[in-house]
Amino acid sequence: MASVSVDEAMRRAVALAARGLGATSPNPVVGCVLLDADGEVVGEGFHAYAGGPHAEIVALAQAGKRARGGTAVVTLEPCDHTGRTGPCSHALIAAGVSRVVVAVPDPNPVASGGAATLRAAGIEVTLGVRTEEAEAGNIAWLTSMRRGWPYLIWKYAATLDGRSAAADGTSMWITSEAARTDVHALRGTVDAVLAGVGTVLADDPRLTARNLRDGTLAIRQPLRVVVDSSGRTPADARVRDGAARTWVATAAEVGAGPDGRVDLTALLAELHHRGVRAALLEGGPTLAGAFLAAGLVDRIVGYVAPKLLGAGPTALRDAGVTTIADAIELEITDVTPVGPDLRITALPRKREA
Ligand SMILES: NC(=O)c1ccc[n+]([C@@H]2O[C@H](COP(=O)([O-])OP(=O)(O)OC[C@H]3O[C@@H](n4cnc5c(N)ncnc54)[C@H](OP(=O)(O)O)[C@@H]3O)[C@@H](O)[C@H]2O)c1
């Protein structure tokens, strides 16, 4: 095999890491490429599931003796602690690699320190190769570890005039099957799906990740969370069907905000405590408004259908904005056609304190 540059190997490692998205929480996604002394790829790995071998261990196992004197190219600083698996720093030292190239330092105080351990063992450590790409690939985990609550994506579906239901309350379906299939794929990449009790009472959604054609459930299901201040979720609601874990989060359990409703900051802290790193807020307009008003939304994914309703509820209710100067400014990062609909991804701009 031809030799590759460290930069090229990191590009490959970032792509490998992405294969673990949605399956590794509470751990990060990580990819690793091992080059021998001549720069030839002798091992590749990614972290596939929590409790499973880390990316470096998979790549080292493939490389065997050819790792000696080689370079390990890793998207995240190798861990330095014994959790469900042993420290990767020690495994790299034992394998005799002479250089480790890292894209992003580990922000987790429990696992960090791998670079220092490697250096102390005489291994050359280079930090900062393709950092931006590796950060983007691990954004939910990195963000949640740095600040202590999950990365929250608000997803909604609306007509071109911004309505989420018709005047008579019917809303199935605003968007196409292609868009709804895309949503199920998105559910497969997060650890929890959140909805307000208003949506549960109106639509009785399942909130599972599944194949829309035959109903087959995805192997890994996000935790279903109903935000329900006073416990109004009916006993026979579909979210209670046993197809996936469900938590009906009440104000009594989580704590109440000044309005007596579930305290959303406390809710996110509790989800983080339960191992949730990425969460998808699926509804509806009241709860989304409250999360946005509190500045707790990290990314917005809107599916916009080429339809007009002219009347009916809008996709978002009160988000704490009363005048145009206070509008929540967004940066659109992606616009992709999905069937006849458009998927628009946007990031709220951070407000001045
Ligand atoms: N197009 C879309 O993407 C989409 C998605 C979802 C839903 N929908 C539509 O939205 C409609 C339901 O709207 P909705 O606004 O009632 O649903 P919602 O936002 O899902 O639920 C609102 C309820 O959440 C509860 N909640 C608990 N803590 C809260 C807090 N801190 N802040 C705000 N709310 C809190 C409140 O009830 P308690 O105070 O009793 O807890 C509130 O009434 C349905 O017609 C549905 O079809 C559309």
Side-chain angles (χ1 to χ4, degrees):
M1 203 188 286
S3 63
V4 301
S5 68
V6 159
D7 188 64
E8 182 59 24
M10 187 63 86
R11 198 180 62 79
R12 171 78 186 140
V14 170
L16 283 166
R19 295 202 199 165
L21 265 182
T24 61
S25 273
N27 295 342
V29 293
V30 187
C32 176
V33 172
L34 258 170
L35 307 176
D36 69 8
D38 300 324
E40 196 174 308
V41 177
V42 289
E44 288 187 345
F46 67 97
H47 185 41
Y49 59 95
H54 290 188
E56 299 90 320
I57 306 303
V58 178
L60 283 173
Q62 263 179 32
K65 289 192 176 124
R66 297 180 72 188
R68 190 156 294 279
T71 298
V73 179
V74 202
T75 55
L76 186 72
E77 180 182 355
C79 73
D80 198 38
H81 85 307
T82 303
R84 280 184 271 193
T85 58
C88 290
S89 52
H90 294 199
L92 289 162
I93 294 165
V97 302
S98 56
R99 186 181 176 207
V100 176
V101 178
V102 174
V104 183
D106 192 334
N108 181 3
V110 177
S112 65
T117 300
L118 291 164
R119 284 193 179 113
I123 293 172
E124 181 192 342
V125 178
T126 309
L127 279 170
V129 174
R130 287 194 181 251
T131 303
E132 219 170 288
E133 276 170 68
E135 281 254 355
N138 221 351
I139 191 69
W141 185 86
L142 287 167
T143 306
S144 69
M145 290 312 293
R146 284 173 186 150
R147 70 180 184 196
W149 71 87
Y151 186 86
L152 188 66
I153 304 165
W154 171 45
K155 164 260 147 189
Y156 71 92
T159 58
L160 191 55
D161 57 334
R163 310 219 172 244
S164 61
D168 67 355
T170 51
S171 61
M172 293 173 182
W173 297 104
I174 287 175
T175 47
S176 63
E177 186 176 307
R180 284 180 280 121
T181 298
D182 201 59
V183 170
H184 282 265
L186 187 57
R187 282 182 189 166
T189 67
V190 297
D191 311 311
V193 174
L194 278 63
V197 65
T199 297
V200 169
L201 293 173
D203 297 346
D204 198 14
R206 289 185 175 83
L207 298 180
T208 50
R210 59 188 187 277
N211 181 320
L212 277 187
R213 288 265 159 89
D214 61 13
T216 319
L217 290 168
I219 292 172
R220 196 182 155 276
Q221 289 293 328
L223 170 70
R224 299 180 287 191
V225 181
V226 183
V227 189
D228 179 2
S229 309
S230 54
R232 294 189 287 144
T233 302
D236 61 352
R238 284 183 181 147
V239 285
R240 297 197 196 260
D241 62 7
R245 288 172 305 138
T246 300
W247 178 35
V248 176
T250 61
E253 188 178 356
V254 175
D259 59 357
R261 288 175 155 171
V262 173
D263 179 334
L264 301 180
T265 307
L267 173 73
L268 291 182
E270 175 56 27
L271 286 172
H272 187 82
H273 179 67
R274 294 182 183 210
V276 172
R277 300 291 172 260
L280 186 64
L281 171 62
E282 290 221 21
T286 306
L287 190 61
F291 270 110
L292 279 158
L296 296 170
V297 173
D298 294 298
R299 189 193 303 171
I300 297 167
V301 180
Y303 292 86
V304 179
K307 289 176 186 161
L308 298 171
L309 282 166
T314 51
L316 185 64
R317 289 200 194 117
D318 183 9
V321 179
T322 52
T323 184
I324 190 74
D326 291 345
I328 299 167
E329 304 269 350
L330 308 176
E331 180 197 348
I332 293 180
T333 55
D334 182 63
V335 179
T336 301
V338 183
D341 307 314
L342 274 188
R343 184 187 64 206
I344 302 175
T345 305
L347 307 177
R349 288 192 203 276
K350 293 281 167 256
R351 293 175 179 218
E352 300 296 318

